[in-house]
Amino acid sequence: MASDRLQVLDHDPLVGTSLAALRDERTTPADFRRHAQRVGALLAAHATADIPTRAGLIRTPLADAPTVTRAVPVVAVPVLRAGLGLLPGVHEALPDAQVGMIGLERDAETLEARRYYFKVPPLEGAWVLVLEPMLATGGSASDAVRALDLSGAARIVVLSVVATEQGVRRVLDDDPRTHIVTAAVDPALDERGYIVPGLGDFGDRLFGTPH
Ligand code: URA
């Protein structure tokens, strides 16, 4: 499943520590949100590691120092509602990122995504980060990417916490420009569409709602 459009951060101990907490069934919603934020920041940092930069100079109290700063805008697009869990971390890493939102609901029978909300700023010249923590079948991430007008976007990256091979393949196959950065790729999907071992329902654990 190797692809130059897929980064799996399974050797990063900072990601691994927060992922362990997110997976742990005993983790409270407050701690779940804290670790989701941390993973969001780390995913955003990895996803933009090769973003175009601008070289400059800044005056320190002693002398001029060279600077390297981001040269292109970033738009973060959380897929409601689970994607909201990654947004504070993305903003920690990229405070000036604009935000769009896409609301998708999974049909319990077909497991396909239905779009109920869409508000996204212009994407001209931007790196677009689609925040979809659980890439199960890949249906919602793929639908979100399809819904965006990416004609002028410079790069599209799906940020995921736990993915499956099936989900990764679908997203990469459905759009040849899309990249994925994920903390883990798990082995299975159960009959209800949950990733196994996964971490359960990301939205419910994030917001403390009963499943
Ligand atoms: N969405 C979730 O929240 N969890 C899964 O395991 C799959 C989809």
PDB file of all heavy atoms in Angstrom, residues 106 134 136 193-195 200-203, ligand 1:
ATOM      1  N   ARG A 106     -23.149   9.607   8.039  1.00  0.00           N
ATOM      2  CA  ARG A 106     -23.037   8.280   7.445  1.00  0.00           C
ATOM      3  C   ARG A 106     -24.379   7.584   7.464  1.00  0.00           C
ATOM      4  O   ARG A 106     -25.051   7.542   8.492  1.00  0.00           O
ATOM      5  CB  ARG A 106     -22.051   7.438   8.247  1.00  0.00           C
ATOM      6  CG  ARG A 106     -20.726   7.356   7.588  1.00  0.00           C
ATOM      7  CD  ARG A 106     -19.851   6.261   8.080  1.00  0.00           C
ATOM      8  NE  ARG A 106     -19.960   5.940   9.490  1.00  0.00           N
ATOM      9  CZ  ARG A 106     -19.356   4.911  10.037  1.00  0.00           C
ATOM     10  NH1 ARG A 106     -18.640   4.098   9.300  1.00  0.00           N
ATOM     11  NH2 ARG A 106     -19.462   4.655  11.320  1.00  0.00           N
ATOM     12  N   MET A 134     -11.215   9.610  11.336  1.00  0.00           N
ATOM     13  CA  MET A 134     -11.356   8.165  11.159  1.00  0.00           C
ATOM     14  C   MET A 134     -11.613   7.858   9.685  1.00  0.00           C
ATOM     15  O   MET A 134     -12.720   8.052   9.180  1.00  0.00           O
ATOM     16  CB  MET A 134     -12.503   7.639  12.027  1.00  0.00           C
ATOM     17  CG  MET A 134     -12.369   7.965  13.511  1.00  0.00           C
ATOM     18  SD  MET A 134     -10.844   7.352  14.270  1.00  0.00           S
ATOM     19  CE  MET A 134     -11.258   5.638  14.531  1.00  0.00           C
ATOM     20  N   ALA A 136     -12.374   5.307   7.682  1.00  0.00           N
ATOM     21  CA  ALA A 136     -12.840   3.920   7.762  1.00  0.00           C
ATOM     22  C   ALA A 136     -13.002   3.343   6.352  1.00  0.00           C
ATOM     23  O   ALA A 136     -12.111   2.671   5.834  1.00  0.00           O
ATOM     24  CB  ALA A 136     -14.130   3.887   8.556  1.00  0.00           C
ATOM     25  N   GLY A 193     -19.054  -0.639  10.392  1.00  0.00           N
ATOM     26  CA  GLY A 193     -18.223   0.416   9.821  1.00  0.00           C
ATOM     27  C   GLY A 193     -17.232   0.995  10.806  1.00  0.00           C
ATOM     28  O   GLY A 193     -16.640   2.042  10.531  1.00  0.00           O
ATOM     29  N   TYR A 194     -17.041   0.327  11.960  1.00  0.00           N
ATOM     30  CA  TYR A 194     -16.039   0.793  12.922  1.00  0.00           C
ATOM     31  C   TYR A 194     -14.676   0.168  12.622  1.00  0.00           C
ATOM     32  O   TYR A 194     -14.595  -1.018  12.265  1.00  0.00           O
ATOM     33  CB  TYR A 194     -16.449   0.454  14.362  1.00  0.00           C
ATOM     34  CG  TYR A 194     -17.467   1.434  14.877  1.00  0.00           C
ATOM     35  CD1 TYR A 194     -18.824   1.126  14.838  1.00  0.00           C
ATOM     36  CD2 TYR A 194     -17.081   2.683  15.333  1.00  0.00           C
ATOM     37  CE1 TYR A 194     -19.779   2.040  15.259  1.00  0.00           C
ATOM     38  CE2 TYR A 194     -18.023   3.599  15.764  1.00  0.00           C
ATOM     39  CZ  TYR A 194     -19.360   3.271  15.717  1.00  0.00           C
ATOM     40  OH  TYR A 194     -20.281   4.192  16.131  1.00  0.00           O
ATOM     41  N   ILE A 195     -13.649   1.000  12.806  1.00  0.00           N
ATOM     42  CA  ILE A 195     -12.283   0.517  12.617  1.00  0.00           C
ATOM     43  C   ILE A 195     -11.899  -0.332  13.832  1.00  0.00           C
ATOM     44  O   ILE A 195     -12.180   0.041  14.973  1.00  0.00           O
ATOM     45  CB  ILE A 195     -11.306   1.699  12.452  1.00  0.00           C
ATOM     46  CG1 ILE A 195     -11.676   2.513  11.196  1.00  0.00           C
ATOM     47  CG2 ILE A 195      -9.873   1.193  12.362  1.00  0.00           C
ATOM     48  CD1 ILE A 195     -10.856   3.789  11.009  1.00  0.00           C
ATOM     49  N   GLY A 200     -13.011   3.505  18.736  1.00  0.00           N
ATOM     50  CA  GLY A 200     -14.452   3.702  18.970  1.00  0.00           C
ATOM     51  C   GLY A 200     -14.962   4.859  18.137  1.00  0.00           C
ATOM     52  O   GLY A 200     -14.376   5.204  17.107  1.00  0.00           O
ATOM     53  N   ASP A 201     -16.049   5.473  18.593  1.00  0.00           N
ATOM     54  CA  ASP A 201     -16.652   6.583  17.841  1.00  0.00           C
ATOM     55  C   ASP A 201     -15.955   7.884  18.252  1.00  0.00           C
ATOM     56  O   ASP A 201     -16.112   8.366  19.385  1.00  0.00           O
ATOM     57  CB  ASP A 201     -18.150   6.661  18.128  1.00  0.00           C
ATOM     58  CG  ASP A 201     -18.829   7.641  17.180  1.00  0.00           C
ATOM     59  OD1 ASP A 201     -18.507   8.854  17.231  1.00  0.00           O
ATOM     60  OD2 ASP A 201     -19.659   7.197  16.373  1.00  0.00           O
ATOM     61  N   PHE A 202     -15.188   8.448  17.346  1.00  0.00           N
ATOM     62  CA  PHE A 202     -14.358   9.624  17.662  1.00  0.00           C
ATOM     63  C   PHE A 202     -15.223  10.787  18.145  1.00  0.00           C
ATOM     64  O   PHE A 202     -14.914  11.441  19.134  1.00  0.00           O
ATOM     65  CB  PHE A 202     -13.569  10.031  16.407  1.00  0.00           C
ATOM     66  CG  PHE A 202     -12.416  10.954  16.678  1.00  0.00           C
ATOM     67  CD1 PHE A 202     -11.126  10.463  16.819  1.00  0.00           C
ATOM     68  CD2 PHE A 202     -12.612  12.320  16.782  1.00  0.00           C
ATOM     69  CE1 PHE A 202     -10.051  11.317  17.060  1.00  0.00           C
ATOM     70  CE2 PHE A 202     -11.547  13.189  17.026  1.00  0.00           C
ATOM     71  CZ  PHE A 202     -10.260  12.677  17.165  1.00  0.00           C
ATOM     72  N   GLY A 203     -16.329  11.047  17.431  1.00  0.00           N
ATOM     73  CA  GLY A 203     -17.206  12.174  17.796  1.00  0.00           C
ATOM     74  C   GLY A 203     -17.823  11.980  19.171  1.00  0.00           C
ATOM     75  O   GLY A 203     -17.863  12.910  19.986  1.00  0.00           O
TER      76      GLY A 203
HETATM   77  N1  URA B   1     -15.974   6.765  12.685  1.00  0.00           N
HETATM   78  C1  URA B   1     -15.571   6.647  13.978  1.00  0.00           C
HETATM   79  O1  URA B   1     -15.768   7.565  14.790  1.00  0.00           O
HETATM   80  N2  URA B   1     -14.979   5.520  14.364  1.00  0.00           N
HETATM   81  C2  URA B   1     -14.733   4.501  13.523  1.00  0.00           C
HETATM   82  O2  URA B   1     -14.154   3.488  13.943  1.00  0.00           O
HETATM   83  C3  URA B   1     -15.153   4.632  12.175  1.00  0.00           C
HETATM   84  C4  URA B   1     -15.775   5.767  11.788  1.00  0.00           C
END
